[in-house]
Amino acid sequence: MASYYAGVFGSEEPHFLESCSLCRKHLGRNSDIFMYRGDKAFCSNECREEQIESDEAKEKSWKLSARSLRKKSSEAAKDCKTVRTGTLVVA
């Protein structure tokens, strides 16, 4: 059986409003759909909140990793000796 959204949007690929982005539960036509970031549909507020918490944890991890990399590169830069090169013109 073709999906409702495939008929509406003219596509045979599964539409993002057909199932919960987290638990993959089918989203019925007459059921509430909880949206997140405009393109993720969820069957319940609990699934939506779990995704939000997961995304926030990933973002925090990425920020800590980036901060650690910046710190390491600045420490490496301090260890390097500066060598100045240039041209000396004597008349």
Side-chain angles (χ1 to χ4, degrees):
M1 178 176 164
S3 81
Y4 168 75
Y5 294 107
V8 171
F9 295 107
S11 171
E12 291 302 320
E13 293 181 22
H15 193 271
F16 74 99
L17 291 175
E18 287 184 354
S19 63
C20 178
S21 294
L22 188 69
C23 71
R24 303 294 179 217
K25 177 181 171 185
H26 177 73
L27 301 174
R29 279 193 246 169
N30 293 324
S31 63
D32 288 338
I33 297 175
F34 299 82
M35 299 298 296
Y36 173 56
R37 293 195 171 177
D39 64 346
K40 292 183 181 180
F42 298 91
C43 64
S44 67
N45 195 42
E46 289 78 18
C47 280
R48 180 181 176 271
E49 290 295 325
E50 190 172 332
Q51 183 67 53
I52 291 170
E53 289 172 6
S54 173
D55 288 353
E56 287 174 350
K58 285 179 189 175
E59 187 176 322
K60 185 177 180 179
S61 174
W62 292 335
K63 286 181 180 179
L64 290 174
S65 294
R67 186 179 304 146
S68 175
L69 287 174
R70 282 194 306 266
K71 185 177 179 182
K72 286 179 183 177
S73 66
S74 68
E75 288 172 357
K78 288 178 185 176
D79 292 339
C80 293
K81 298 188 184 217
T82 305
V83 177
R84 293 186 181 195
T85 59
T87 305
L88 178 63
V89 179
V90 180

